[in-house]
Amino acid sequence: MDEKNECCCHKTKERSEKEYKDLINRLSRIEGQIRGIKRMVEEDAYCPDILIQVSAANAALNSFNKVLLSNHIRTCVADDIRAGKDETINELVNTLQKLMK
């Protein structure tokens, strides 16, 4: 399979230790929030209280996406554009369209 038709699911990215730790820490906090929401449902918590916690988890996921997207643009996208791989722009546009649904 030539590089132009390579499926994005086969690509990988090496992250710096700092970037890796930041992303994992964010995901761990989000995981804790989700467990807390599950516990609230199990304990018959009041619906508005659960909704507020779900909103906080959504905000945390959005923040995670912003950090990940920013890192992606600064590294992968910028490197590919410098290397003349313009198809990366189409991939970025498609990713942004999916994120904005």
Side-chain angles (χ1 to χ4, degrees):
M1 181 181 292
D2 66 56
E3 212 171 301
K4 192 178 276 189
N5 293 328
E6 184 178 279
C7 175
C8 63
C9 56
H10 297 295
K11 294 180 181 180
T12 61
K13 166 147 181 12
E14 280 191 37
R15 293 178 173 82
S16 70
E17 187 174 339
K18 181 185 180 312
E19 180 184 359
Y20 173 81
K21 284 183 177 180
D22 177 57
L23 292 173
I24 294 298
N25 286 339
R26 286 173 179 271
L27 289 172
S28 294
R29 285 193 301 272
I30 293 166
E31 185 179 29
Q33 286 178 298
I34 300 302
R35 280 194 309 270
I37 293 167
K38 181 181 177 192
R39 192 168 37 257
M40 290 176 79
V41 171
E42 291 170 343
E43 295 172 358
D44 298 322
Y46 190 52
C47 295
D49 295 338
I50 297 171
L51 290 167
I52 289 169
Q53 291 307 310
V54 170
S55 179
N58 280 330
L61 279 169
N62 285 333
S63 179
F64 175 86
N65 266 355
K66 288 176 190 175
V67 169
L68 189 62
L69 180 60
S70 176
N71 290 343
H72 177 62
I73 291 169
R74 286 189 173 99
T75 58
C76 300
V77 174
D79 291 345
D80 281 358
I81 289 171
R82 286 187 202 104
K85 297 179 184 176
D86 291 335
E87 64 272 10
T88 299
I89 295 170
N90 291 333
E91 180 186 66
L92 177 61
V93 169
N94 289 335
T95 299
L96 290 172
Q97 288 172 339
K98 289 175 185 176
L99 289 174
M100 294 180 179
K101 280 187 176 179

